[in-house]
Amino acid sequence: MSLLNWVMRKSGLDNLSAKYSYGVDPVLGFTSTRKHADKWVKSTCGYCSVGCGMELGVSKGKVVSVRGDPDHPVNLGKLCPKGLSEHYTIDAEDRAKYPLLRKNNELTRVGWDEAVETMVERFRAVQLKYGPDSAGVISTGQLLTEEFYALGKLVQLGFGTRNYDGNTTLCMSTAVSGYKRSFGSDGPPGAYADLETADVILLIGANVAENHPILCTRLEGNLGKTLIVTDPRVTKTAMMADIYIPLKPRSDLALINAMLRIVIDEDLYDKKYVENHTTGFEELRASLEAYTLEYAAKITGLTPELIHRTALLYGKAKAAFIGWTMGVNHSTKGTETVNAINNLALITGNIGRAGASPFSITGQCNAMGTREAGFASSLPGYRKFESEVDREELARLWNIPVERIPSSRGLAYPDIIEAAVAGKIRALWIIGTNPLVSFPNIDVLKHALGNLDFLVVQDGFHPTPTTELANLVLPAAIWGEKEGTYTNSERRASKANAAVAPPAEARSDFEIFLAVAERLGCREELFPGWTAPADAFEE
Amino acid sequence: MELPLLEQVKAGDDAFHLTSSARNSERGLVQLCSNGVDVPLPPPPGPGEQYRFHFDMTKCIGCKCCVVACNEQNGNPADILWRRVGEIEGGTYPDTQRNYLSIGCNHCLEPTCMTGCPVDAYSKDGPTGIVRQNADICIGCQYCTWNCSYGVPQYSLERGVVGKCDMLCYGRLTEGQNPACVSACPEGAIRIEVVRTAEWREQYRTDANAPGMPSADDSLSTTRITLPVRMPRDSAKVDLNRLRPEHAHWPLVVMTVLTQLSVVAFSSIWLMQIFGAHLHRVAALVALMIGTVALGASTLHLGRPIQAVRALKMWRRSWLSREVLMFTLFANAATAYSAALWITLPGGFDLPLLRQMGVFQKLTAFLALLVRQINAMLPAHAVAVLGGLTVIFGIAGVGCSARLYLAPGRPGWNSPFTLLEFYLTAMLLGSAGANILSGAATFTQLAVIIAGIATIFAAGIKMIWLARSAAHERRGVFILLFTVLSNLLMLRVLLLSAGLLLVPFAQTRWMAAPIALLLIAGEFVSRYLFFVSVVPSNIATEYLAMEAA
């Protein structure tokens, strides 16, 4: 600030009263004048998978405040601290502004045309030399569903590589596999409303009070429930519980299996439901041979009485809800635990009716979107790679020969990295994720990235530890600057709208994908007549 | 793949019901809300009533929506939190409990922030009972941050003034809107209620106190807290054992030490004038200079130094204001006294130098005539009276200066020991100064040694009292002094001891001077320790907070 300003401030002549003044805003009421907005744009939160509706207040081309959308059924106007301060991310430091290409070992600014051209050329070169599967794509759980859909088609049908996965694998793939094994398809059954009508709610490996606080309103609203919280730590959620189960870390599977055995042994399961809707009951019973109360008590560190009581509560409930998040997912036995949870729900018929559900609470704001439409671990629309019927249907809808649609998935994220180490994947496109921070094995990752011929990183921020290693950095727009839909944990799709324009030359990921497709020559084929995300939504 | 819902929509069936949120109908008085569905406000308080917060600990999940919503409403940066969430825990695993406190301002019945404010920046609103703070009147002295035992007022370095929760009254409550924290809480843990103040005075002790909260006796907090039915008996704030040295408040270190020195220096000069007929003119000027530096330094403590003179306003109520008043009077009297000492000299301003410069002869002749006239007009003992006034105002000033540190939010300072310490500093440094003036006479040497021994004695008793105190903030002072600050404590003891031991060996005024310097240095270290070792009284903070709010 200028010398005069400094003197005015330090002497005390100026106490910045203008900056900190208040006024009455027609929407917010009496509040700081810096929060008053000229227009309000409805959108959906881009942080977690609760998927709250919110409105962004825009003044002079900047988002100055947010408020919860009182009409949105998920949150009814409430926002958690992340949502309340989300507008600060748009103007945060280190936004990526320009495409950067590494020349002479330095990232230098280039135009979009050169950036896209270089990317397509280098990818094509790698694929020609090493085969189509030598290109890999690592995506995220935070793009809009329309962007996932476009990216999926671009990668599988445009670039023609099946080695495409997202950071969601590190996180939610356990829940996905568990659902697929139990039900044949991904997609959590149930809704947030079940939290209000269930009479027994079991939360396992989930700290919703800390991570999905808006869901707690529903828990508090359900006065007749028994809330059982299972966690090695006394968390904020455990403090809300009627029964707190302090089990030893990593013993969730033993607990659920013991509960299964008690429910079966004491005849608390729904025989009709099992007969009409399930298979494999006898194998299940046989597999639980070892899970006596004493055995489970030894593994979990709980008393046999507590395990027994919990099993009875669940078995006798009218509508029982099991919710879990990463405490269950992030484990080598995660898929089995999810299966066990699904088994519990299935044999007691606690599924598909109000209040009853084995419900996986998702993490990222649109991990569900990539599961639905991403074309990475399954065909768009929860269809299966392996199903010929599904492939033919898609081929018809898309007007392409059915042979172009892969019949199995490619490598998953950790395997892509391993393949890069082995030299099988030589070109990699990382979108909206920061592996240098989030990937578990940094040394392997660095080795892998160093082995590549060409690395493209598309992110809203630069520099990040990952963008610093890239050959090409593509600046992307973030939440609040682009439009599309997010799908939340209960499979509710909400629209997110753009409130402001992206900074400098950053573009929305949707536009970037279309530009790459154009350069690749497949834009008209894969995205006929598309100009906006609405076109992807329509398809 | 069959898509039955899609078929239905295409067939024009009403497959999707647009459900309006039934809960939204609960609007009542509220027209606008920034977050969440607003619960209706209670009807406005009548006579003998006021608004107050109700915090339900059984519902709070510690999510901090309230904290962020408050910041957004008031446009505060992230390092200023007018509402804070703290954590308390107790019990033994797996029967531990973690509970949360969400505190804005308690809008107390006897707000200590208001009593201590020197410029009347605080007021308790008549109709609503809300304690409001005016950032334009505030001069940024931060005294209220010491007085509030909950740590509610927050000083903004950016603005140079203090701010705090004001329940957004004349902005929101009068429009029938809830404060931001009430609207934002997803669990409905914070509410506004109306309380009858007379009744509350009788029963506040049960409902206003909670583990992790300082005693409501300090200022009669009005916030009602609903505690869980069964809490572990050892529930305490999670930062109970986190001790960090406080800010040094350097302007105040300088000011307190130097005013104390200046006051007793003037006392010695005055006494020597009365009983010894010595006129220590130069010493008086030096003492005056020291006093001026001290008072000037003190304005640097303010966020708005240029407004310092307004601190005189609330002398009827605030000890800080009284200190400013007394020291202002002291400064004026000391200036007059010092001038008088010079004027009563025969010849007055008849300095030889000026005489030699013939150009100024007429001016000096005129001044000399003026001085003789004043001399003739002055009553005989006028100088002595001026000296006496200086001393009285000075001693009163030191007393007010010490008394203001007896603040509820600083238990380590809140005892008669502070008064004793300040006066002993004055005695010690004043005698050391007198020792120089008297040329190391025996009686001044004795005075220094007695003052020094008294200082050591008093400090020792204070340490024992601190170590054995029931209040954890006071025990914390002791712990800080003997762990993190132990080197400085040792330095302080060394400086004092060295000074005292050298006293008998200094036989002339020029050897007495280094001793005085040693003792002054020792007092600076001591005063620095006074400021940094105090442990503030405050509500609980978060478990991993880098710094308590």
Side-chain angles (χ1 to χ4, degrees), chain A residues 165-174 330 364 377 409 412-414:
Chain A
D165 199 13
N167 64 7
T168 45
T169 290
L170 298 179
C171 181
M172 299 302 301
S173 58
T174 338
H330 291 182
Q364 289 179 90
S377 62
R409 69 162 299 169
Y413 184 173

Side-chain angles (χ1 to χ4, degrees), chain A residues 44-45 47-53 72-75 78 80 192 208 211-216 218 359 361-366 486-492 494:
Chain A
T44 308
C45 183
Y47 265 118
C48 86
S49 72
V50 171
C52 299
H72 198 279
V74 166
N75 58 322
K78 297 278 183 196
C80 83
Y192 296 154
V208 293
N211 302 310
H212 302 93
I214 301 299
L215 292 182
C216 290
R218 299 183 188 253
F359 192 76
I361 307 173
T362 313
Q364 289 179 90
C365 58
N366 204 14
Y486 288 130
T487 308
N488 71 358
S489 295
E490 55 170 357
R491 290 166 301 118
R492 184 191 300 266
S494 299

Side-chain angles (χ1 to χ4, degrees), chain A residues 287-525:
Chain A
S287 77
L288 294 169
E289 198 61 47
Y291 286 92
T292 59
L293 265 181
E294 289 67 37
Y295 179 64
K298 198 158 61 93
I299 298 185
T300 59
L302 304 167
T303 59
E305 293 76 36
L306 183 56
I307 302 176
H308 191 235
R309 182 154 71 109
T310 312
L312 285 184
L313 271 170
Y314 185 85
K316 293 187 179 166
K318 289 197 250 6
F321 180 97
I322 306 183
W324 77 90
T325 55
M326 307 314 160
V328 166
N329 288 337
H330 291 182
S331 159
T332 49
K333 283 261 162 245
T335 316
E336 284 85 346
T337 315
V338 172
N339 284 138
I341 293 172
N342 290 337
N343 289 340
L344 245 189
L346 280 170
I347 64 172
T348 51
N350 271 320
I351 189 162
R353 49 193 180 85
S357 166
F359 192 76
S360 155
I361 307 173
T362 313
Q364 289 179 90
C365 58
N366 204 14
M368 291 295 295
T370 183
R371 283 150 76 174
E372 285 174 345
F375 207 163
S377 62
S378 54
L379 293 174
Y382 285 137
R383 296 179 174 87
K384 299 196 197 40
F385 279 112
E386 296 76 19
S387 155
E388 203 175 313
V389 169
D390 287 344
R391 291 201 304 274
E392 297 205 336
E393 186 185 2
L394 282 179
R396 243 180 313 112
L397 286 169
W398 288 340
N399 216 6
I400 56 169
V402 67
E403 294 74 36
R404 283 181 62 182
I405 300 179
S407 55
S408 63
R409 69 162 299 169
L411 293 174
Y413 184 173
D415 301 320
I416 292 179
I417 301 296
E418 298 270 332
V421 170
K424 296 218 185 73
I425 291 195
R426 305 229 121 194
L428 195 57
W429 186 8
I430 298 178
I431 306 167
T433 182
N434 196 358
L436 258 291
V437 172
S438 54
F439 192 75
N441 197 336
I442 284 243
D443 296 322
V444 170
L445 179 74
K446 281 190 186 160
H447 189 178
L449 296 182
N451 235 11
L452 296 169
D453 289 350
F454 198 72
L455 173 64
V456 182
V457 179
Q458 182 171 324
D459 203 316
F461 292 86
H462 173 76
T464 71
T466 310
T467 59
E468 280 175 338
L469 297 179
N471 294 102
L472 175 65
V473 176
L474 298 175
I478 64 171
W479 171 88
E481 296 167 346
K482 47 185 185 166
E483 76 165 329
T485 60
Y486 288 130
T487 308
N488 71 358
S489 295
E490 55 170 357
R491 290 166 301 118
R492 184 191 300 266
S494 299
K495 181 105 193 292
N497 287 312
V500 291
E505 291 181 22
R507 293 186 185 175
S508 74
D509 300 85
F510 187 78
E511 276 176 45
I512 299 176
F513 299 150
L514 289 188
V516 172
E518 176 137 5
R519 196 69 191 73
L520 206 49
C522 56
R523 179 169 173 167
E524 269 317 301
E525 182 195 15

Side-chain angles (χ1 to χ4, degrees), chain A residues 9 11-12 15 19-20 22 26 30-32 34-35 67 70 76-78 81 87-88 217 220 232 234 236 239, chain B residues 24 32-34 36 61-63 72-75 93 96 98 135-136 157-159 171 183 185 187 304-306:
Chain A
R9 168 52 210 98
S11 67
N15 67 350
K19 183 176 173 193
Y20 285 90
Y22 291 89
F30 182 81
T31 182
S32 162
R34 275 177 291 132
K35 302 292 161 183
R67 67 181 217 127
L76 298 171
K78 297 278 183 196
H87 52 292
Y88 292 111
T217 321
E220 287 281 321
V234 179
K236 291 175 180 174
M239 286 303 302
Chain B
N24 265 353
L32 305 163
C33 68
S34 69
I61 56 172
C63 69
E72 284 298 295
Q73 275 300 306
N74 293 294
Y93 185 82
T96 45
R98 298 161 68 164
D136 292 322
L157 205 54
E158 187 197 0
R159 295 188 69 180
S183 295
C185 178
E187 306 299 293
R304 305 177 73 193
I306 212 165

